[in-house]
Amino acid sequence: MNKVEELKPQILTRINEASSLQVLEDIRVSVLGKKGEITEMMKTLGSLPPEERKLAGQVLNEFKTEITTALDAKKTALEEAELNRRLATETIDVTLPIRPKQQGRVHPVSQVMEEMLTIFAQMGFDLAEGPDIEDDWHCFEALNFPPSHPARQMQATFFMENTDGNVLRTHTSPVQIRAMENQKPPIRIVAPGRTYRCDYDMTHTPMFHQIEGLVIDTETNMGHLKGVLADFMKKFFEVDDVPIRFRPSFFPFTEPSAEVDIGCSRKNGEFKIESGKGWMEVLGCGMVHPNVLKNCGLDPEVYQGFAFGFGVDRFAMLKYGIPDLRGFFDADMRWLKHYGFVPLDIPTITSGLSANGGAKR
Ligand code: DAH
């Protein structure tokens, strides 16, 4: 068993100096594997005389135990070193910004919708929605459109084929009807959404966006309507004083009806709010027509209300100086990069509507 005394320090040194788990495993195989050094020595035990065999067996077993212990200890040490190395190199700095390279942009229509709804939400309006595909009743009939009204003619309305006269809604006003049919007054809703008309030029696209407003109560008047819209304009354009003018107009579903203009000047497509220069029409509104109330089962002797509707795309063009409406729907990345908004800047009344997005666009 002198061989044991000779081998032991050598093997222990090799174990000690093993530089990786793989090297250590190779050592284990070369010592304890099927053809390993200790295994080979074990095989010679059978040829020894019985009294020597006992002693030699004991020595070999102790040797084997000692080597196994050394291998295990080294393995633990190497694993720990490997873990420490990974912990040191794979650190994550959780204070880094989450998206160092922001790519996406919020479309101006989404941004402006968000801004508008934020303002109306603060005034106490609920959000209402209706379908893009409407029936004649909600889109025209209940809104007091006479049967021969031009809005029902082919040139403006997209009629759906094979659908009992359904249309792509030409305005968001049908959501007024749905609101009055489905809830009891007092009603205070705004309804944003897509609308469709057969039209295409610099300021018209076949699909565009509107927001409809409706208030129904027992004591509402034109003064309330004017107050809501004046307040809205100031907040939306972020100007203390927006010149605003109500001009008599006609809509089948309101009486009296008005169109609202804001005072502004325009130079090279650049739009500026100021009085004394000119007026631009921005929306339609009025007191809800008694026939409309009756069509929805409300008694006009008890209830009145006001409504308004405006084009979201147009407000986006005005506020952010975007000259051509058609670019809104071209899905051109260069356009979106130029006119779009940083996604993490969410409009709020307190932190500013466009103060963040508008400036950093
Ligand atoms: N629906 C009208 C349009 O698309 C806009 C409108 C005008 C809506 C007057 C209203 C309103 O609610 O009272 O041209």
Side-chain angles (χ1 to χ4, degrees), residues 145 170-173 176 197 208 210-213 251 253-254 257-258 283-287 306-310:
F145 277 84
T170 52
H171 52 176
T172 42
S173 302
Q176 287 186 29
R197 278 180 215 176
F208 55 106
Q210 288 191 339
I211 290 186
E212 190 79 13
F251 299 102
F253 36 91
T254 42
S257 303
L283 62 86
C285 62
M287 299 304 293
F306 59 82
F308 53 88
F310 51 84

Side-chain angles (χ1 to χ4, degrees), residues 6 28 74 93-94 118 136 139 156 187 194 220 336 348 353:
E6 191 189 315
R28 192 189 65 76
K74 185 66 184 181
D93 183 352
V94 292
T118 302
D136 185 79
C139 203
I187 296 172
R194 295 196 177 102
T220 43
L336 194 56
T348 67
L353 290 170

